[in-house]
Amino acid sequence: MTSSTFRPMIPYPIFGKGVRRSKGVTALKGNIAVTRAITEIIKTTLGPKGYSKILYTPKGELVITNDSATILKKMDIFFFDHPISNILIEVAKTQERMIGDGTTTAVILAGELAVKAEKLLDQKIHPNIIIKGYKRALDIAVDYLQKISSIINPENNNLILNIVTTSLQGRNLGHFAPYIAKLVMEAVTYISEKRNIPGTGEQLYFDIDNIKIVKALGGSLPESELVKGVIIDEEVVHPLMPRRIVNARIALIYEPLELRRRKDQRTFLTSYHIEIGAQAKIKSFKEEEAKIVQEKIEKIIEVGANVVLTPKHIDEIAQYYLAKANILAVKRVRTTDMKLLTKVTGGKLVATLDDLSSKDLGYAGIVEERKIGDNKFVFVYECDYRGAASVLLRGNSDRLLDEAEREVNNAIMNLITFFKDTRVVPGGGATEMALSYAVRSVATRYPGKEQLAMLAFAEALESIPLTLAENAGIDKVDVITELRPLHEEGKHQYGIEVISGKVKNMFEAGIIEPLQLKEHALKIAVEAASIILRINDILVAPQKKP
C-alpha cells in the first residue's frame, strides 16, 4: 500500500459545545475530593456537643441547624455544583426516611470509606478490589452487630426513654431533651395499636401520620405538651360562639355552609335554584337566602350537634345562626385533621347535610379554643378512641420551633424503628469501636490487597468515636488508646460519654440506640462509597441561560 492511499482521520466533535468531561483516575479522585469536603462539613455536627451551621440562601432564607439531612437538603439547592454531592444527599435522605435518625453517622461513614479508598488507589489497588473488601467487611460487621445487640422489653419505659433521649441529645434541645423525649415516648405508645398480621401473629402497628406536631410561637420548650386528641390550627369562626364545649357532639361536614355564587353573578348554587331577574327582587332574595341557610343550621341542631367542623367555608349568615344556637364552629380545617378527627371522635365525615344523622356525630369530652401567644387553636381531646395524638411545641422563635419540629419527627421515627425490632446496641461510638475490632480480627485471614480494604473499613468505623471526642474537646489519642484495649477484652459496651468527657459503659449511662439504625447506616454507607468508586467518567452539560 502506497502512502498516497493513507488518509488521516478528520477530528469530529463528539460532545456538544461547553460540555465538561472528567474521566479515569482524575474523575475518581475529584469525586473523592468532593466527598471529603462534604464530610468535613457534616462531621462537626455529630454528637451532643456537635456544632450548628448557618445557611443563608440567595432567597434570603436563614437556616440554623445541626441536622445533617437538613443541611444537605438546603445545600443541594443553592451551594453544591458537583454531581457527586447528590450521592451523599441521598444517603442522608434515605436514612432519615427509613429510620429517622443516624443521618450524620451514615454520611460520615460513606465519606470516610471513600476517603480511605484514595490511599488504596495510590497503591495501585483496583476500585473493584476495594469494593469487594468493603463488602466483605460489611458482612463481618453486620454479623457482629447481631452478637453484641441486646433485646429489651418494649414495656420498659425507662429504657425506651433512654433511646429517645439518646436520639435527641445530639440536637439543639439542650437540657430540655429529657422532657421532650418523654412527650415523644408518650405520643408513640399512645397511637400504637395491636394488629393480627398473617403469618406473624399479633404485632404492634404504628402510623406516624397519627401524630400531629403543632408549633405555637410564645413560651418556652418546657411548656410544650402532649394532647391526646387533635389540635386544629384555626379559631372559632364567630365571637358570640362558645369557646368551650363539654361533652361535645361533633358534626364533621364536608359541605360548605354558604350559598355559592355562579360566575354570571345572577345564579346561586344551593339546594334551591334562585335567579335574580330585577333589582327589586334583591330584598326578597336576601330573605330567601337567610331562610335556606337557617334550614341548614336547623338540620344540624335537629341531629343534636353542638360542634361543627368543616374543611369548607362558613359564611356570615350561617355563623350567625350557629352562634344563636350556641354551637361552636370551625372552618377551613385541614383535610388531614378531618381524617384524624374521625379516628379520635368516632364520627363520620359526611359529604352533605342531607346525609347527616345523629349516628354520624363524633364525641369528645372537651372542645375548646385556646390562645397561645398571638395565635388561637382549637383543642379536641378526652375522646373515646386512641386514634391520634398532638405534640404542641412552644418556643420563643420560629427557628427554634422549626428545629424542634425536625428533631421530634426524627425521634418519633427512631422510636417506631425500635418497636419494629426491639434489639439495641450501645451508643457513644461503642458499637463502631466493637465492629472495627471485629473486622480487624477477621481481616488477617484474607491476605493480599483485599485485607487492606478491610482494614480501611475498620479505620473508617473508628472515625465515629474520634469525631465525637473531637467535637467535645476530648483528646482523640487518649480516647482511642483507652477504648481499643477494652474492646479487645470483649467489653463492647464501652464508648464516650461526651457530657462528662469520660469513657463509660454506655448501657449504664443510658446511651443506647436501635440496632436497625446502625445496620441501615452501615449498609447505605458502603453502597454509597461503592457507587462513588465505580464512577470514572463524568459528563456535565452546560447550564441553559434563563
Side-chain angles (χ1 to χ4, degrees):
M1 183 167 27
T2 61
S3 59
S4 60
T5 59
F6 175 75
R7 295 180 181 178
M9 293 183 63
I10 300 173
Y12 188 86
I14 298 174
F15 303 110
K17 186 177 180 180
V19 172
R20 291 180 291 147
R21 186 185 187 192
S22 177
K23 62 179 180 177
V25 177
T26 304
L28 197 50
K29 291 207 170 186
N31 295 343
I32 293 173
V34 173
T35 304
R36 180 189 287 108
I38 296 172
T39 306
E40 289 301 321
I41 293 172
I42 299 302
K43 261 187 174 183
T44 53
T45 67
L46 183 68
K49 294 195 175 181
Y51 296 90
S52 296
K53 308 293 179 184
I54 292 181
L55 306 176
Y56 190 72
T57 70
K59 294 182 177 179
E61 181 185 8
L62 183 66
V63 180
I64 303 175
T65 181
N66 68 348
D67 181 69
S68 58
T70 303
I71 293 168
L72 289 172
K73 285 175 190 174
K74 295 294 182 182
M75 293 183 76
D76 178 32
I77 300 171
F78 300 107
F79 299 96
F80 291 140
D81 190 28
H82 196 283
I84 209 70
S85 61
N86 290 321
I87 295 173
L88 293 183
I89 292 165
E90 283 303 314
V91 168
K93 287 180 178 179
T94 304
Q95 181 75 14
E96 183 181 48
R97 184 176 62 251
M98 300 300 295
I99 306 296
D101 196 15
T103 54
T104 306
T105 299
V107 172
I108 291 174
L109 285 176
E112 285 294 320
L113 289 171
V115 171
K116 300 294 181 189
E118 187 174 21
K119 294 181 181 179
L120 301 179
L121 292 171
D122 290 339
Q123 297 175 40
K124 307 300 181 183
I125 299 177
H126 196 277
N128 283 336
I129 295 176
I130 299 172
I131 293 169
K132 184 179 179 182
Y134 280 176
K135 291 194 173 180
R136 191 180 295 279
L138 174 65
D139 292 339
I140 295 166
V142 170
D143 286 343
Y144 197 69
L145 192 64
Q146 318 292 329
K147 293 178 183 178
I148 66 173
S149 66
S150 302
I151 300 175
I152 67 174
N153 186 346
E155 295 180 0
N156 188 326
N157 288 338
N158 289 331
L159 288 177
I160 293 173
L161 191 60
N162 286 338
I163 293 171
V164 187
T165 305
T166 301
S167 175
L168 293 172
Q169 282 287 4
R171 311 296 181 176
N172 288 326
L173 299 180
H175 57 279
F176 300 131
Y179 176 72
I180 301 299
K182 188 176 180 181
L183 296 184
V184 170
M185 182 187 74
E186 290 177 358
V188 173
T189 52
Y190 184 74
I191 66 154
S192 65
E193 53 183 291
K194 292 183 178 180
R195 289 189 178 182
N196 282 316
I197 300 174
T200 57
E202 194 176 71
Q203 289 188 352
L204 284 176
Y205 173 81
F206 302 87
D207 186 348
I208 193 172
D209 293 332
N210 289 343
I211 299 178
K212 181 180 180 182
I213 300 175
V214 180
K215 298 178 291 184
L217 191 62
S220 58
L221 277 173
E223 296 177 77
S224 302
E225 62 178 297
L226 174 69
V227 176
K228 296 176 179 179
V230 180
I231 302 175
I232 303 170
D233 310 19
E234 297 290 345
E235 60 182 293
V236 175
V237 297
H238 196 279
L240 297 181
M241 287 180 177
R243 262 44 190 175
R244 178 183 171 92
I245 298 288
V246 179
N247 295 324
R249 292 176 58 78
I250 305 168
L252 304 170
I253 306 169
Y254 198 76
E255 179 185 2
L257 301 179
E258 64 176 349
L259 294 176
R260 292 171 290 167
R261 191 185 297 271
R262 289 187 190 274
K263 290 182 180 180
D264 60 11
Q265 301 295 312
R266 297 177 68 251
T267 308
F268 289 76
L269 294 175
T270 164
S271 53
Y272 299 86
H273 186 72
I274 304 169
E275 289 192 6
I276 307 173
Q279 188 71 23
K281 293 185 177 180
I282 292 291
K283 183 178 179 181
S284 62
F285 164 74
K286 290 292 185 182
E287 293 173 354
E288 189 66 21
E289 181 187 38
K291 181 181 177 182
I292 294 168
V293 175
Q294 186 178 11
E295 288 176 1
K296 287 188 174 187
I297 306 308
E298 285 176 355
K299 176 64 183 292
I300 295 172
I301 298 170
E302 182 184 333
V303 298
N306 53 13
V307 174
V308 173
L309 305 176
T310 177
K312 300 296 183 178
H313 182 61
I314 302 176
D315 69 14
E316 293 180 359
I317 299 174
Q319 291 177 26
Y320 167 75
Y321 285 115
L322 287 168
K324 191 176 179 180
N326 208 37
I327 294 175
L328 183 154
V330 183
K331 64 180 180 180
R332 306 296 186 197
V333 181
R334 294 179 185 178
T335 305
T336 51
D337 288 347
M338 295 298 291
K339 181 180 177 182
L340 294 179
L341 287 163
T342 60
K343 291 182 178 181
V344 299
T345 66
K348 178 182 176 183
L349 179 59
V350 296
T352 66
L353 281 170
D354 294 335
D355 300 330
L356 184 66
S357 68
S358 59
K359 295 180 181 179
D360 299 320
L361 299 180
Y363 173 80
I366 298 175
V367 176
E368 65 179 351
E369 180 187 81
R370 296 185 196 172
K371 185 175 182 181
I372 302 174
D374 295 330
N375 299 314
K376 294 179 180 178
F377 302 86
V378 173
F379 289 65
V380 181
Y381 59 105
E382 292 189 10
C383 306
D384 290 339
Y385 301 91
R386 295 173 47 137
S390 301
V391 179
L392 177 66
L393 294 175
R394 304 284 301 274
N396 53 23
S397 72
D398 288 325
R399 293 191 187 98
L400 173 64
L401 287 173
D402 289 342
E403 188 71 3
E405 181 184 26
R406 285 191 289 265
E407 293 161 8
V408 169
N409 260 320
N410 291 345
I412 289 170
M413 278 292 297
N414 195 30
L415 189 52
I416 290 175
T417 298
F418 160 73
F419 278 117
K420 291 177 181 177
D421 184 344
T422 57
R423 291 174 295 174
V424 296
V425 292
T431 296
E432 287 78 11
M433 282 300 301
L435 300 184
S436 176
Y437 166 73
V439 172
R440 286 181 191 277
S441 301
V442 178
T444 55
R445 303 176 194 171
Y446 297 89
K449 296 178 180 179
E450 192 177 330
Q451 181 187 119
L452 297 177
M454 296 173 72
L455 292 174
F457 185 98
E459 286 182 24
L461 286 169
E462 288 185 348
S463 67
I464 299 298
L466 289 176
T467 302
L468 283 170
E470 186 175 11
N471 290 347
I474 305 169
D475 188 275
K476 295 191 294 183
V477 176
D478 291 345
V479 166
I480 206 71
T481 52
E482 188 174 355
L483 280 175
R484 275 183 178 172
L486 288 170
H487 284 272
E488 287 172 2
E489 295 171 12
K491 297 178 180 179
H492 60 261
Q493 66 273 28
Y494 278 82
I496 309 168
E497 203 282 290
V498 297
I499 305 299
S500 64
K502 297 179 180 179
V503 170
K504 292 183 178 180
N505 184 316
M506 294 291 97
F507 283 121
E508 292 178 0
I511 303 173
I512 53 179
E513 297 175 293
L515 177 142
Q516 287 297 318
L517 182 154
K518 294 296 186 185
E519 185 174 336
H520 191 272
L522 282 169
K523 290 179 178 178
I524 197 172
V526 171
E527 189 59 37
S530 301
I531 292 172
I532 292 170
L533 292 173
R534 283 197 183 101
I535 297 171
N536 74 336
D537 209 338
I538 298 176
L539 300 171
V540 181
Q543 293 184 353
K544 293 182 179 180
K545 294 182 180 180

